[in-house]
């Protein structure tokens, strides 16, 4: 009796049958076409099957004669068309031409379309100069945004009637999202309550990062200009204010290599009175230093930094960067060893992009430190929403319950992302890619002007619209993000907003799950609100799109979902 065929054998036989049927269908179709048609089609393919290329209008420097010559040569070499890409080049190497979308530029654009139509070529258009979609007339409220926050301590019972500090922000733009308070968990035995502030800081690198126990984070002072360096006349400082006097006998400073302090002075003062110098000292680049001194009892300690390292500007350091500071006492240190923060929390909350350059593997974003007992900073059931108790000037009126409390003022500011590799006159903020109104506003101001100039060529000779690669860095907020999150995930993000300030809410597992939903929502917003809207607007004009919506560089996106909004997927290959 023949043996029963295995499942594998059956699957192989089925696959062979399908393959044979497919071969027969294909050969039958081929047999039905004259052989000479296949040869002619290969030697002279239709324009839709021909190669198109980037057609660079560097710094807008072109003219009608050059445009005609270029298109004639493209036709002669067998191209099906090109994509007009106005972009920048180092100043001085190429003379400036007309500004993108100016009347002079539009005249050249119309000439290119007329000539392409004469030659039977199809054109695409990069709908800005350079990349990172944006331009000089993008308003701050239409641009890319991120979360920022400030932290204040309060002790009750009692009345809180103070102005909450405005969180660090860029470009004079800041909007509040929520004011939340939670009871401070019981400190480890002997731990002192204290607050750290700084002379200045950059929004992504607040002073709290200098005491968070994470060697991968660091504080950065605000300077970016070597003409205003850190110096004796313009020092920077970190300041720690204790609720009760702290007795110190030493200080440990861990710098960020290449950018750490060079010359320092530790000062101290009582609750009232003048600062006095405890000790002056110098540091070597990249090396942790511990200084010792006679016992000092003070309420406020200030690490004054009078000079710093900067590999690009060694004689005029733009800023100073410190990973950790620790105060040492006869029987204690501050801060005590803290619970480890959420692993890669800045990357998980998209303050930083995970990975480098192109197409990074992001499995690491799912990694976590093991949970430990009592490591949560707060329970969401203990969280108080004080948003309605703060007025428009930041004044909070609140009756503090008994105990020590943390008050978070959470808002959003600009990421600072702007157009790159643009021609003259086109530098500006990048549009908010998380909400559709920003793109619609840009479309009405810029793209409609381009399409009006194209006239009857729209959808015929001018077939494709394009935006180039994501080089805008991290983004993690938009004006209506709370509702965007709620509608997609089915719950409100408000009780978990402290996670975006580096806190552990309920547990490490719960906080990581929220951060996953947070990243998922960011990616969905970009795919649906930006690239989906882009596709719909183009379709209304009878056109198609092929943006580099999948990155290809590190970006807070679902690349497949974004590319799925394209009429033609497009990326980059560097070899």
């Amino acid at each position: 009796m023949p043996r029963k065929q295995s499942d594998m054998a059956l699957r192989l036989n089925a696959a062979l049958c399908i393959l044979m049927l497919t071969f027969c269908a294909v050969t039958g179709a081929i047999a039905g076409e004259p052989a000479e048609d296949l040869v002619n089609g290969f030697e002279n393919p239709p324009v839709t099957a021909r190669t198109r290329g980037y057609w660079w209008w560097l710094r807008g420097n072109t003219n009608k004669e050059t445009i005609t010559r270029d298109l004639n040569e493209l036709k002669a070499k067998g191209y099906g068309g090109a994509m007009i890409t106005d972009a920048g080049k180092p100043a001085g190497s190429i003379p400036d031409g007309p500004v993108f979308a100016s009347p002079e530029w539009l005249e050249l654009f119309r000439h290119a379309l007329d000539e392409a139509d004469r030659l039977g070529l199809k054109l695409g258009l990069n709908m800005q100069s350079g990349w990172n979609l944006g331009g000089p007339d993008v308003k701050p409220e239409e641009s890319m945004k991120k979360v920022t926050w400030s932290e204040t301590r309060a002790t009750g019972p009692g009345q809180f009637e103070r102005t909450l500090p405005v969180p660090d922000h860029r470009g004079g733009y800041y909007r509040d999202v929520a004011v939340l308070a939670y009871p401070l968990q019981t400190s480890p035995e002997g731990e002192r309550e204290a607050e750290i502030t700084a002379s200045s800081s950059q929004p992504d690198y607040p002073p709290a990062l200098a005491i968070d126990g994470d060697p991968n984070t660091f504080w950065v002072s605000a300077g970016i200009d070597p003409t205003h360096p850190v110096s004796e006349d313009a020092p920077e400082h970190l300041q720690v204010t204790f609720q009760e006097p702290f007795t110190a006998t030493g200080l440990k400073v861990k710098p960020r290599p290449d950018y750490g302090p060079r010359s320092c002075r530790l000062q101290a003062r009582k609750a009232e009175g003048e600062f006095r110098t405890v000790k002056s000292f110098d540091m070597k680049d990249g090396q942790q230093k511990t200084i010792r001194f006679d016992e000092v009892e003070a309420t406020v300690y200030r690490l004054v930094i009078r000079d710093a390292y900067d590999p690009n500007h060694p004689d005029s350091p733009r800023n100073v960067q410190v990973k950790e500071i620790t105060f040492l006492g006869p029987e204690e240190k501050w801060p005590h060893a803290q619970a480890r923060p959420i692993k890669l929390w800045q990357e998980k909350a998209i303050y930083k992009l995970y990975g480098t350059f192109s197409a990074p593997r992001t499995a690491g974003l799912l990694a976590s430190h093991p949970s430990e007992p009592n490591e949560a900073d707060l329970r969401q059931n203990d969280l108080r929403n004080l948003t309605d108790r703060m007025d428009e000037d930041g004044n909070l009126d609140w009756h503090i319950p008994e105990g020590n409390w943390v008050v978070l003022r959470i808002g959003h500011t600009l990421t600072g992302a702007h157009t790159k590799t643009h021609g003259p006159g086109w530098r500006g903020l990048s549009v908010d890619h998380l909400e559709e109104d920003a793109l619609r506003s840009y479309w009405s101001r810029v793209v409609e002007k381009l399409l009006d100039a194209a006239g009857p060529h729209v959808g015929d000779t001018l077939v494709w619209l394009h935006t180039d690669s994501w080089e805008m860095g991290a983004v993690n907020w938009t004006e209506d993000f709370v509702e965007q999150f709620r509608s997609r995930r089915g719950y409100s993000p408000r009780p978990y907003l402290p996670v975006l300030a580096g806190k552990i809410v309920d547990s490490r597992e719960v906080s990581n799950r929220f951060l996953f939903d947070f990243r998922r929502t960011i990616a969905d917003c970009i795919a649906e609100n930006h690239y989906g809207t882009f596709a719909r607007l183009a379709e209304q004009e009878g056109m198609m799109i092929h943006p580099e919506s999948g990155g290809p560089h590190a970006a807070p996106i679902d690349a497949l979902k974004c590319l799925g909004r394209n009429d033609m997927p497009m990326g980059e290959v560097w070899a």
Side-chain angles (χ1 to χ4, degrees):
M1 177 180 287
R3 288 181 297 173
K4 186 176 181 180
Q5 287 184 309
S6 67
D7 288 342
M8 178 62 75
L10 289 171
R11 286 197 292 270
L12 286 172
N13 287 337
L16 286 170
C17 290
I18 293 170
L19 182 61
M20 291 175 68
L21 289 171
T22 302
F23 176 76
C24 292
V26 171
T27 54
I30 292 174
E33 297 180 10
E36 59 269 20
D37 288 350
L38 290 175
V39 173
N40 291 336
F42 186 81
E43 291 179 345
N44 187 31
V47 66
T48 54
R50 291 173 179 263
T51 299
R52 292 183 300 122
Y54 276 73
W55 185 14
W56 296 100
W57 290 15
L58 295 179
R59 302 188 71 80
N61 185 283
T62 191
N63 55 49
K64 292 182 178 180
E65 292 75 17
T66 299
I67 288 169
T68 298
R69 181 200 66 201
D70 285 352
L71 289 172
N72 282 331
E73 289 298 319
L74 286 170
K75 178 71 173 181
K77 299 301 184 294
Y79 280 80
M83 182 173 69
I84 298 172
T85 310
D86 191 283
K89 193 72 175 172
S93 60
I94 296 176
D96 290 349
V99 173
F100 178 78
S102 66
E104 297 80 8
W105 194 96
L106 292 174
E107 183 178 351
L108 296 172
F109 175 52
R110 179 60 184 255
H111 177 74
L113 292 170
D114 290 342
E115 290 293 88
D117 181 55
R118 175 180 64 83
L119 294 167
L121 299 173
K122 302 299 181 183
L123 295 183
L125 174 65
N126 183 42
M127 60 185 198
Q128 70 164 94
S129 181
W131 35 91
N132 294 354
L133 183 66
D137 58 353
V138 173
K139 302 173 184 176
E141 57 269 27
E142 298 173 329
S143 69
M144 302 278 263
K145 303 173 184 72
K146 66 176 181 178
V147 174
T148 184
W149 72 93
S150 66
E151 186 172 320
T152 303
R153 300 291 177 92
T155 301
Q159 196 66 21
F160 188 103
E161 295 178 342
R162 289 161 53 188
T163 301
L164 296 177
V166 177
D168 289 333
H169 55 284
R170 279 196 175 105
Y173 180 93
Y174 172 77
R175 301 290 185 273
D176 282 304
V177 172
V179 178
L180 305 172
Y182 63 89
L184 194 64
Q185 302 299 305
T186 304
S187 301
E189 186 177 353
E191 177 76 306
R192 303 299 190 99
E193 296 297 337
E195 183 177 13
I196 186 167
T197 56
S199 51
S200 69
S201 63
Q202 297 188 13
D204 294 336
Y205 305 98
L209 298 181
I211 58 167
D212 66 352
D214 185 346
N216 297 311
T217 63
F218 46 90
W219 161 70
V220 182
S221 64
I224 58 173
D225 187 350
T227 64
H228 297 86
V230 179
S231 66
E232 179 69 48
D233 294 331
E236 297 284 356
H237 70 254
L238 286 168
Q239 181 169 302
V240 175
T241 302
F242 290 91
Q243 287 190 2
E244 301 293 336
F246 180 86
T247 300
T249 57
L251 174 69
K252 185 186 297 182
V253 181
K254 185 173 186 177
R256 186 185 180 210
D258 295 331
Y259 298 95
R262 184 193 297 266
S263 178
C264 305
R265 180 168 56 236
L266 178 64
Q267 297 179 329
R269 70 172 172 83
K270 303 282 189 179
E272 303 292 338
E274 303 273 335
F275 277 104
R276 67 180 184 86
T277 297
V278 176
K279 190 166 187 174
S280 298
F281 59 97
D282 295 330
M283 296 186 62
K284 294 182 179 179
D285 183 21
Q287 295 186 19
Q288 177 176 291
K289 181 155 188 169
T290 300
I291 62 168
R292 296 287 183 177
F293 42 83
D294 294 337
E295 284 191 11
V296 174
E297 185 182 82
T299 306
V300 184
Y301 291 88
R302 177 181 286 180
L303 175 63
V304 180
I305 301 163
R306 302 173 294 177
D307 194 8
Y309 293 95
D310 186 335
N312 297 313
H313 302 278
D315 297 325
S316 53
R318 295 162 291 177
N319 55 52
V320 61
Q321 305 179 19
V322 176
K323 287 189 170 187
E324 295 290 323
I325 61 170
T326 305
F327 285 90
L328 308 174
E331 299 178 354
E332 60 179 319
K333 66 178 182 178
W334 186 91
H336 278 195
Q338 300 180 342
R340 285 188 293 184
I342 295 169
K343 188 172 186 178
L344 297 173
W345 79 267
Q346 288 187 300
E347 288 85 354
K348 290 178 179 179
I350 324 181
Y351 293 107
K352 297 179 180 178
L353 293 179
Y354 181 78
T356 58
F357 199 55
S358 294
R361 296 185 178 184
T362 57
L365 290 174
L366 301 179
S368 178
H369 296 305
S371 296
E372 298 176 4
N374 303 315
E375 65 180 346
D377 293 287
L378 67 143
R379 307 287 176 186
Q380 62 167 303
N381 291 339
D382 296 331
L383 194 66
R384 307 291 179 92
N385 187 347
L386 307 181
T387 307
D388 293 340
R389 295 180 177 273
M390 186 183 74
D391 66 22
E392 61 183 13
D393 296 320
N395 301 310
L396 179 65
D397 186 359
W398 173 50
H399 180 74
I400 314 167
E402 185 173 354
N404 296 316
W405 290 75
V406 176
V407 181
L408 295 174
R409 182 178 182 180
I410 301 171
H412 67 266
T413 186
L414 309 182
T415 69
H418 56 80
T419 54
K420 289 185 68 175
T421 321
H422 54 81
W426 206 255
R427 179 180 173 85
L429 293 169
S430 299
V431 300
D432 187 342
H433 280 52
L434 274 67
E435 54 100 0
E436 66 175 78
D437 286 347
L439 176 58
R440 289 184 178 277
S441 178
Y442 181 90
W443 186 278
S444 65
R445 293 193 311 269
V446 179
V447 182
E448 287 184 3
K449 184 194 306 182
L450 296 165
L451 299 182
D452 287 345
H457 296 301
V458 172
D460 183 11
T461 301
L462 183 63
V463 179
W464 299 94
L465 288 174
H466 178 80
T467 57
D468 220 67
S469 58
W470 182 292
E471 299 181 26
M472 295 171 286
V475 57
N476 68 3
W477 201 260
T478 192
E479 188 68 41
D480 66 341
F481 184 79
V482 170
E483 186 52 41
Q484 293 277 354
F485 185 100
R486 192 198 317 269
S487 65
R488 287 174 168 81
R489 307 281 84 89
Y491 67 97
S492 173
R494 286 191 184 275
Y496 301 96
L497 290 180
V499 177
L500 302 182
K503 313 300 181 184
I504 297 176
V505 176
D506 285 346
S507 70
R508 194 175 293 273
E509 179 187 3
V510 167
S511 298
N512 271 306
R513 280 160 47 194
F514 164 72
L515 287 170
F516 178 86
D517 286 350
F518 181 75
R519 294 192 302 278
R520 178 72 265 170
T521 304
I522 297 288
D524 288 349
C525 286
I526 293 170
E528 296 162 11
N529 296 342
H530 184 79
Y531 291 112
T533 300
F534 185 11
R536 289 189 293 273
L537 289 171
E539 184 180 20
Q540 291 169 9
E541 301 290 345
M543 300 183 70
M544 295 181 285
I545 67 169
H546 54 46
E548 290 186 18
S549 57
H553 310 307
I557 60 172
D558 180 332
L560 289 178
K561 193 168 188 178
C562 288
L563 288 168
R565 269 57 183 176
N566 287 24
D567 294 289
M568 180 189 293
M570 182 170 178
E572 295 181 16
V573 175
W574 293 82

